[in-house]
Structure formats: C-alpha cells, structure tokens
Amino acid sequence: MHDARVLIDMGDEAVRRLARRRYTLDLSSLESLQSRRNQSIRTADELRAESKRVAQEVQKTAKASGDVSALKESARKIKEQIREAEAEQEQIQIELRELLLSIPNLPLDSAPDGDSEEFAVEVRRVGTAPTFAFEPRDHVALGETMGILDFGRGTKLSGPRFSIARSVGAALERALATLFLDLHTRRHGYVEHSVPFLVTRKTMTGTGQLPKFEEDLFATGVADRELFLIPTAEVPLTNLYADEIIPPAELPLALTAHTPCFRSEAGSYGRDTRGILRQHQFSKVEMVRICAAEESQAEQEKMVAHAEACLKELDLAYRVVTLAAGDMGFSAQLTYDIEVWLPSQNTYREISSVSDCGTFQARRAGIRTRDEHGKTVPVATLNGSGLPIGRTLAALLEQHQQQDGSVTLPKALVPYLGFRRIQADGTPSEA
C-alpha cells in the first residue's frame, strides 16, 4: 500500500508514472482525504486536551465547594464531541485506506511503455527452437495418445479447465517439482517451506490480491472463518513475515515452496482453453526473496537466472522479455517474463514471471527491517515462478517429441524418473 504523503509529495510525477499503467490518480481526492484525516486527528486531540482541562477544573471547583454542574455538563458535551470526532476520523481512515489499496505499484522508468504483451522488449534468447521433419503435435494430442494426460475425466470430475495426469505423466509432474526444489535449495540457497493452501483476507491483502482481484479467487470457509485458496505460493511465503521486523543481518531471505495454485481465471475464457496452459488448478514451485529496498533490482536479476537454470537443465529453448508498464501485475514495479518455445503454436509463451515489487507489498503487510540508524523501514519483496509444473510438462512434450510419437526426456530428469524416454504408447524406456 502506498504512503499517501509520498504520493502527494510526488504530485504530477506520481500521476505520470501511474498513467503508464493506464491508472488515473485523482490527486485532488487523495489530497482532500489526507487533509480531512489530518484535521480530524487535530480536532480529536484538541477535544481530548479540552476534556482533560475541564476535568481538572471540575476537581478544582469541587475542592473549593463550588457548583460543578455546569462544568460537568460541559465535560459531557465534550466527550460526545470526542466520540463524534473519533467516528469521523475512523470513517475517513477507511476511505483513505480503500483508495490507497486500489492504487497499483508505481512502475520503474526502465519498464517500456505499452499495455499488452506486444510491447514487451526482448532481452535475450537462449537455446535453439527445435525444427521437425514432421508436423509437430501439441501437448494435448501427445499426452492423450500416450495415455499420460486425461482431459475428459478431469472435466467429468470438476468441469472445464481441469485435467488428470496419470502413470508416467504423474511421475513426470512429481519429478519436475522435485528437480526444481533441489535446484533452488541445493544450488540457489532457498529454504523450502510447506505452507497452508488456505489463507485469510488479511494475508491476501498483504500481497495485493485483495481487495481489487477478489473475482479471480476461490473463497471458502472453515467454521466461522473466511478463507481463500491461494493463487500462488507467493501469498503465504511473503506473508510469513507480515507485521514483523526482520534483522538486517538476516537479509536477503530466499524462500521456496511447491504448492497447488487455484485461479478462477475470470475474464480469460476463450484464451488457452485447450490443454494445460491455463487451468483453475495447477501446481507450481515458487520463489520469493525479501531484501533491503536498495537491493531489489540486483535480487531480481538473481531470480531470473534461477528460473532460467530450470529451463536450461531441461534443454528447453526460451527467451526473456521485459514487460511493458501497463501489462505488469498490480504489485510489480518491474517484471521480466521468461517465455518458453511451444512448437505447436510456433511462438514463445510465458512460463515464468519474476517481479520486483519494491516496498509495495511490504507496506501493505507490515514487513520491515532497520536501517543503519536503527529506524524501521519497509523491506522489498520479489516473487517468481520457478517453475509451473503443467506448462513445463507441455513444453517438454512438445519440444522433445519424436516422429514416432515418443518423447525423449533430458538427462537431468533421469535420476528422478529412472528412464529417459516415453514411448508412443506411454510406457517408459531407458533408451
């Protein structure tokens, strides 16, 4: 959440930067709310001071055996005015908080202009997109023919945008998750966590999913508690440190978790409806880093490299792009997308987003550290996919497919699977 004073002090600069996200900041409304809030605080403070003065006058007059009835009536009226002033202050504070919670993060100037993926700027390409002497099939056709993916039964159980992996397909999903966790914990220094998949409204608000994106979430409840299914492990991992002060010596923190993710995909129907690219439930290995604010951009570069390492281990061709300011997530100030090559679509598709959120989420969640003077200051938070299991599986099947319908898997997966090849009939083979 933004600091209202900072936005007001920035003035036209804040308006300009938010306009790059297609957000119109009503600076006059913000200034009015902040002014009313400050005035309500002053009024309540003045009334409390007056109440204290009258109370002392009552005691003084009573000791002198004077008539205190008028003073007591004055004290009663002042107390009523204090209640009214405090109620007004609370209402203004609610309005101000609601406004601030609705304002997205300020994009960095290094994010290109634009509001869609068409305006993303390519940073680099890694690997060579495979060419085939035959018409490559998509992961749906490959998975169903081999019998390792079952979309019909997934739909039967839960409706559209659910699928089932079976036999070698399920083993491959498990192997991918374990490989990614091993890379991040053993090579990249992340600490693995097992976290709840249900979280509170406050937790969702801390990372920016609420209140703006409630329609994208699945809500449920336990007894009298309102809970939400997590859309990504970013939510519980980041909020592990909500309302805490992290000692500077402990920074940066590097956290990872493998969890299911649940998304309603509101407004996205018609996009990627075939296969496992956009589902209501999928699993993902997530990376989160928490650091000093001035270190966030350097930490982001590290995270991009960590996500790339997963793709390199799997011999997958991909590219890295910088997202346009108007196409980034609500909480991000700069985002790199990593896009993997999908032969069936003859294009690169997003497989990981690595976002630097600056202090935006930390302010909302109350995550702080201390500066060199001992003063508490917000940390920076970053998150990235490292990687989603379904999209990675789709890319593996498509990029490594063979003319006979089999799929040759990369060597990095052999220790986790015990085989190197999925034959056309879905059975594993060492060759």
Side-chain angles (χ1 to χ4, degrees):
M1 184 170 68
H2 293 285
D3 184 328
R5 293 167 299 181
V6 172
L7 291 178
I8 291 169
D9 288 344
M10 291 179 67
D12 290 343
E13 174 65 8
V15 174
R16 179 191 71 81
R17 290 173 64 180
L18 286 167
R20 298 181 67 223
R21 302 196 65 141
R22 303 300 187 265
Y23 181 91
T24 301
L25 175 62
D26 188 342
L27 203 57
S28 60
S29 293
L30 180 60
E31 289 174 333
S32 175
L33 277 173
Q34 181 72 359
S35 177
R36 288 171 55 203
R37 173 185 175 274
N38 293 342
Q39 181 58 53
S40 69
I41 292 172
R42 285 193 296 269
T43 298
D45 287 344
E46 290 168 359
L47 286 169
R48 281 188 283 267
E50 179 65 8
S51 177
K52 183 177 180 181
R53 186 193 67 77
V54 171
Q56 291 172 343
E57 189 67 22
V58 168
Q59 291 179 346
K60 180 179 178 182
T61 303
K63 285 182 180 179
S65 300
D67 184 4
V68 296
S69 57
L71 286 170
K72 285 186 175 180
E73 177 61 18
S74 177
R76 185 191 67 79
K77 290 181 178 179
I78 292 172
K79 286 181 179 178
E80 179 62 28
Q81 289 176 319
I82 290 172
R83 284 192 290 270
E84 291 175 355
E86 289 176 340
E88 181 183 14
Q89 179 184 333
E90 183 179 356
Q91 180 58 39
I92 294 171
Q93 185 63 41
I94 290 172
E95 292 178 30
L96 180 60
R97 176 176 168 81
E98 288 178 348
L99 174 58
L100 292 172
L101 285 174
S102 72
I103 301 173
N105 202 353
L106 298 170
L108 296 181
D109 285 337
S110 54
D113 289 330
D115 60 358
S116 71
E117 60 186 22
E118 296 176 5
F119 297 93
V121 174
E122 184 171 297
V123 178
R124 59 182 168 272
R125 294 190 181 195
V126 179
T128 301
T131 57
F132 302 93
F134 57 94
E135 185 68 26
R137 291 186 289 176
D138 69 5
H139 66 278
V140 177
L142 287 164
E144 288 188 325
T145 299
M146 290 190 290
I148 65 173
L149 295 177
D150 191 333
F151 296 94
R153 287 188 172 91
T155 300
K156 179 173 69 174
L157 292 177
S158 306
R161 298 207 181 188
F162 289 90
S163 65
I164 292 169
R166 64 179 297 274
S167 184
V168 169
L172 185 53
E173 287 191 344
R174 174 163 43 86
L176 286 169
T178 306
L179 170 64
F180 297 158
L181 287 171
D182 283 350
L183 285 173
H184 296 322
T185 57
R186 298 175 184 177
R187 185 187 299 180
H188 303 147
Y190 290 77
V191 177
E192 184 180 356
H193 289 70
S194 178
V195 294
F197 307 152
L198 291 164
V199 296
T200 64
R201 178 173 288 271
K202 179 182 178 182
T203 300
M204 283 288 191
T205 301
T207 38
Q209 281 75 23
L210 289 176
K212 189 174 179 62
F213 303 103
E214 188 158 351
E215 68 172 2
D216 294 326
L217 305 173
F218 287 110
T220 183
V222 176
D224 59 345
R225 286 181 291 158
E226 177 190 47
L227 295 171
F228 295 87
L229 287 161
I230 60 171
T232 165
E234 165 203 344
V235 176
L237 286 176
T238 303
N239 281 282
L240 286 173
Y241 294 89
D243 300 315
E244 293 187 22
I245 299 174
I246 305 171
E250 294 183 11
L251 297 176
L253 297 173
L255 322 171
T256 189
H258 173 225
T259 69
C261 304
F262 305 91
R263 300 181 184 180
S264 74
E265 297 291 355
S268 68
Y269 288 93
R271 297 175 57 204
D272 296 333
T273 55
R274 179 174 169 81
I276 55 179
L277 298 183
R278 190 183 297 273
Q279 296 198 305
H280 293 309
Q281 176 186 320
F282 61 97
S283 67
K284 179 157 66 87
V285 173
E286 182 75 358
M287 304 177 292
V288 164
R289 293 182 81 87
I290 300 175
C291 64
E294 63 273 15
E295 299 295 329
S296 68
Q297 291 182 58
E299 291 295 307
Q300 186 180 25
E301 297 295 333
K302 291 180 184 178
M303 290 184 73
V304 172
H306 297 161
E308 287 185 80
C310 298
L311 293 167
K312 289 176 180 177
E313 288 289 318
L314 298 174
D315 299 327
L316 291 173
Y318 66 91
R319 71 172 187 165
V320 180
V321 301
T322 306
L323 287 191
D327 194 34
M328 295 191 300
F330 181 79
S331 298
Q333 64 178 11
L334 184 69
T335 297
Y336 290 109
D337 264 11
I338 303 174
E339 300 178 341
V340 71
W341 179 257
L342 286 183
S344 66
Q345 298 184 17
N346 196 39
T347 191
Y348 291 96
R349 298 302 305 271
E350 181 256 318
I351 196 169
S352 175
S353 284
V354 180
S355 294
D356 173 7
C357 298
T359 61
F360 183 81
Q361 291 180 327
R363 290 184 182 278
R364 296 169 74 103
I367 310 172
R368 295 154 292 162
T369 188
R370 295 190 185 277
D371 64 15
E372 57 188 12
H373 305 294
K375 179 183 177 182
T376 57
V377 293
V379 298
T381 63
L382 304 95
N383 63 81
S385 302
L387 297 167
I389 306 306
R391 289 197 175 200
T392 305
L393 188 150
L396 274 175
L397 294 180
E398 293 199 14
Q399 285 201 35
H400 295 311
Q401 64 181 293
Q402 306 298 311
Q403 189 165 7
D404 64 358
S406 66
V407 173
T408 301
L409 298 172
K411 292 180 180 179
L413 283 172
V414 174
Y416 300 93
L417 289 169
F419 56 88
R420 182 74 193 277
R421 184 167 171 263
I422 307 174
Q423 299 187 98
D425 64 359
T427 57
S429 170
E430 294 183 6

